[in-house]
Each structure stands twice: as C-alpha cells, then as structure tokens.
C-alpha cells in the first residue's frame, strides 16, 4: 500500500517513478488534493491513466493532521470502486483515533476535497477583513451551493457535497486555525499580496492551484460567484478587497 500525500502537481512524476521501479500493481491511497490544471482530471484519473493496473482509493474528510498527531479523534472517508479494497484498508488503517465512512464515488470525494480550499480561503479573507461568524456562515453555505454547481457540471454525483467529504471537510477547514488555505486568505484580507501571503504561509496552499483550474470554467458561464470572487482577489490585484467580498455576498441568492 502506497499512501500519497504530496502536492498534486507532482503526481505525474510520482507515477513515472513507480513505473521505473515496477510498482505498477499496488494499492494507492491518495490524500493529495487538487485537479490537473490543463485537463481538469483528478489525482485518481491522472494516476490511473499512467498506472491502469493499480488499485486506487482516496482518503479525505475533516481530518486536521495536527489534531490527530495530538491524539484527538477524527473520522475520514475512504473512497474506492472496489468494495473488497475498502474492507481491507479499514482493517489496516482504522484505529482508536481514526474511523471511516465508505464511498464508491471516488471522483466526487476528490473534487469536494479540492474545492473546499477555495471556500476556506474566502473565510480567511473575511477574517482578515475583520468580519466574524455571521459572514463565515454565509460563505460556507454559499460555498456548498457552488460545490454542487461545479460537481453537476462535471457529471459527478453532487450529493457527495453534503457528506463528510464535502460539507464536513469544508467546515473543519474553514474554522481551523491550522488550515493553510484559511491562513493564506486571512493574509490577503489583511492586505498581503498573493506572493507575500504564500511566502508567509511557507507551505503549499492547494486552494491557489485549484483557483487557477476553476478559472478555466469561467468560459462556461457557471453560476459560481463566490468562487469567482476568490479567484479575482487572488489573481487580479483587486484594489478594494472588502468591497469585492461584500458586493459578491450581497448579490448571491441561495
């Protein structure tokens, strides 16, 4: 069993390394988040294109690593098309701290994990602007609506957005002070530039990569005003971030 927890942009390189070492028939449990920018393929689709014989599973959900490391309990979701693999992984990975739900909707679980970073950035921006829980609740609610819009467009089982892979992971990431996405957004709200905020965080912020990918969907006229607002703030040097955020929230209809 190979557990992948690397930045998603290096997944293809990892697959090439596995081919070079003839590790082409193992089980991969993926915890990396992201979608390939040029093709909109998930990590699972990217890996299976290169390693069609592997058994692929995805692990996701409201699991802040620091809390688990401190001995605090959590529950994640394991997604795999093969039910026998799910039971095998349960017997190996489940323990007193970490338990699991199960799903066969691999792509839906992957997409939810990738999209949640954008909403956490939005909550961070609101925090950096001095807003509080009233605004956070609105952003999370509208964020789930936009999850569903994107997932339906991509032909994915949209009800996964309401599972612990979607709304559960979203809420956890948005309220956690340990979230890199939220911290990055807070810095943007405080007036940092994108590059300075990334330097301050000091680690990969997967929500930024996902924002680049979501920009590609703008040509399809999807109704994702909150996510579009976040991408503008990240990439377009918006002068008045406060006005941009408030105007977006005011015009959204849930």
């Amino acid at each position: 069993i190979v557990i992948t927890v690397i930045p998603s942009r290096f997944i293809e390189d990892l697959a090439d390394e596995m081919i070079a070492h003839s590790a082409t028939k193992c089980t991969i449990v993926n915890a990396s988040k992201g979608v390939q920018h040029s093709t909109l393929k998930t990590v699972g689709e990217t890996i299976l294109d290169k390693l069609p014989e592997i058994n692929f599973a995805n692990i996701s959900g409201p699991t802040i690593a620091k809390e688990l490391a401190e001995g605090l309990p959590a529950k994640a979701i394991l997604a795999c098309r093969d039910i026998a693999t799910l039971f095998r992984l349960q017997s190996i990975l489940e323990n007193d701290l970490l338990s699991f739900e199960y799903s066969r909707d691999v792509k839906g679980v992957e997409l939810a994990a990738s999209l949640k970073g954008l909403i956490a950035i939005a909550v961070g921006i609101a925090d950096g602007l001095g807003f509080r829980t009233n605004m956070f609740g609105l952003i999370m609610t509208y964020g789930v609506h936009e999850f569903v819009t994107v997932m339906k467009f991509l032909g994915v089982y949209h009800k996964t957005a309401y599972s612990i892979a979607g709304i559960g992971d979203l809420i956890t990431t948005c309220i956690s002070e340990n979230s890199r996405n939220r911290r990055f957004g807070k810095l943007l709200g405080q007036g940092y530039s994108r590059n300075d905020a990334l330097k301050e965080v000091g680690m990969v912020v997967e929500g930024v990569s996902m924002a680049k990918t979501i920009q590609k969907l703008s040509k399809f006229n999807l109704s994702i005003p909150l996510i579009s607002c976040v991408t503008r703030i990240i990439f377009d040097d918006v002068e008045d971030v406060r006005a941009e955020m408030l105007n977006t929230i005011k015009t959204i209809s849930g």
Side-chain angles (χ1 to χ4, degrees), residues 1 21 26 47 61 68 81 86 101 110-111 174 213 224:
I1 295 173
H21 289 84
C26 61
I47 288 176
L68 279 165
R81 295 295 300 167
L86 287 176
E101 284 188 10
E110 285 195 88
L111 275 175
C174 287
T213 303
I224 47 173

Short mmCIF file of all heavy atoms in Angstrom, two decimals, residues 1 21 26 47 61 68 81 86 101 110-111 174 213 224:
data_model
loop_
_atom_site.label_atom_id
_atom_site.label_comp_id
_atom_site.label_asym_id
_atom_site.label_seq_id
_atom_site.Cartn_x
_atom_site.Cartn_y
_atom_site.Cartn_z
N ILE A 1 0.86 -1.18 0.00
CA ILE A 1 0.00 0.00 0.00
C ILE A 1 0.89 1.23 0.00
O ILE A 1 1.79 1.36 0.82
CB ILE A 1 -0.93 0.02 1.23
CG1 ILE A 1 -1.91 -1.16 1.16
CG2 ILE A 1 -1.68 1.33 1.34
CD1 ILE A 1 -2.74 -1.33 2.39
N HIS A 21 10.19 1.77 -11.11
CA HIS A 21 10.51 0.77 -10.09
C HIS A 21 9.59 -0.45 -10.16
O HIS A 21 9.55 -1.27 -9.23
CB HIS A 21 10.44 1.39 -8.69
CG HIS A 21 11.55 2.35 -8.40
ND1 HIS A 21 11.52 3.68 -8.78
CD2 HIS A 21 12.73 2.16 -7.78
CE1 HIS A 21 12.63 4.27 -8.38
NE2 HIS A 21 13.38 3.38 -7.78
N CYS A 26 0.21 -2.10 -7.12
CA CYS A 26 -0.03 -1.92 -5.69
C CYS A 26 -1.40 -1.24 -5.46
O CYS A 26 -2.14 -0.98 -6.41
CB CYS A 26 1.07 -1.05 -5.09
SG CYS A 26 1.15 0.59 -5.83
N ILE A 47 -3.44 9.33 -12.09
CA ILE A 47 -2.67 8.14 -11.74
C ILE A 47 -3.10 6.94 -12.59
O ILE A 47 -2.26 6.20 -13.12
CB ILE A 47 -2.80 7.82 -10.24
CG1 ILE A 47 -2.04 8.85 -9.41
CG2 ILE A 47 -2.30 6.41 -9.93
CD1 ILE A 47 -2.19 8.68 -7.92
N GLY A 61 -11.74 14.04 4.17
CA GLY A 61 -12.67 14.32 5.24
C GLY A 61 -12.12 15.31 6.25
O GLY A 61 -11.02 15.83 6.09
N LEU A 68 -4.85 15.06 14.92
CA LEU A 68 -4.61 13.61 15.01
C LEU A 68 -3.27 13.34 15.68
O LEU A 68 -3.14 12.43 16.51
CB LEU A 68 -4.63 12.99 13.61
CG LEU A 68 -6.01 12.70 13.03
CD1 LEU A 68 -5.92 12.45 11.54
CD2 LEU A 68 -6.64 11.50 13.73
N ARG A 81 -13.63 2.21 -5.85
CA ARG A 81 -14.63 1.50 -6.65
C ARG A 81 -14.77 0.05 -6.21
O ARG A 81 -15.81 -0.57 -6.37
CB ARG A 81 -14.25 1.54 -8.13
CG ARG A 81 -14.25 2.92 -8.76
CD ARG A 81 -15.64 3.54 -8.79
NE ARG A 81 -16.58 2.74 -9.58
CZ ARG A 81 -17.88 2.92 -9.57
NH1 ARG A 81 -18.43 3.85 -8.80
NH2 ARG A 81 -18.67 2.16 -10.32
N LEU A 86 -11.90 -1.56 0.13
CA LEU A 86 -12.34 -0.73 1.24
C LEU A 86 -12.27 -1.49 2.57
O LEU A 86 -11.77 -0.98 3.57
CB LEU A 86 -13.77 -0.24 1.01
CG LEU A 86 -13.95 0.84 -0.06
CD1 LEU A 86 -15.43 1.14 -0.26
CD2 LEU A 86 -13.20 2.11 0.31
N GLU A 101 -15.94 6.39 7.15
CA GLU A 101 -17.10 6.12 6.32
C GLU A 101 -16.57 5.62 4.98
O GLU A 101 -15.39 5.76 4.67
CB GLU A 101 -17.94 7.39 6.10
CG GLU A 101 -18.78 7.78 7.29
CD GLU A 101 -19.73 8.93 6.95
OE1 GLU A 101 -19.88 9.28 5.75
OE2 GLU A 101 -20.33 9.48 7.88
N GLU A 110 -12.90 13.28 -4.33
CA GLU A 110 -11.71 14.04 -4.71
C GLU A 110 -12.04 15.50 -5.02
O GLU A 110 -11.33 16.42 -4.61
CB GLU A 110 -11.05 13.40 -5.93
CG GLU A 110 -10.29 12.13 -5.65
CD GLU A 110 -9.39 11.77 -6.81
OE1 GLU A 110 -8.24 12.25 -6.82
OE2 GLU A 110 -9.83 11.03 -7.71
N LEU A 111 -13.11 15.72 -5.77
CA LEU A 111 -13.49 17.09 -6.13
C LEU A 111 -13.86 17.91 -4.90
O LEU A 111 -13.48 19.07 -4.77
CB LEU A 111 -14.65 17.07 -7.13
CG LEU A 111 -14.28 16.93 -8.60
CD1 LEU A 111 -15.55 16.82 -9.43
CD2 LEU A 111 -13.46 18.13 -9.07
N CYS A 174 -12.52 25.51 7.28
CA CYS A 174 -12.86 26.93 7.41
C CYS A 174 -12.70 27.44 8.84
O CYS A 174 -12.39 28.62 9.04
CB CYS A 174 -14.28 27.19 6.93
SG CYS A 174 -14.50 27.11 5.14
N THR A 213 -7.33 26.42 -11.73
CA THR A 213 -8.11 25.46 -12.51
C THR A 213 -9.54 25.94 -12.71
O THR A 213 -10.09 25.85 -13.82
CB THR A 213 -8.11 24.09 -11.80
OG1 THR A 213 -6.76 23.67 -11.61
CG2 THR A 213 -8.85 23.05 -12.63
N ILE A 224 -21.05 30.58 -10.20
CA ILE A 224 -20.22 30.35 -9.01
C ILE A 224 -19.63 31.69 -8.56
O ILE A 224 -18.41 31.87 -8.57
CB ILE A 224 -19.12 29.30 -9.28
CG1 ILE A 224 -18.38 29.58 -10.61
CG2 ILE A 224 -19.70 27.90 -9.32
CD1 ILE A 224 -17.18 28.68 -10.85
#
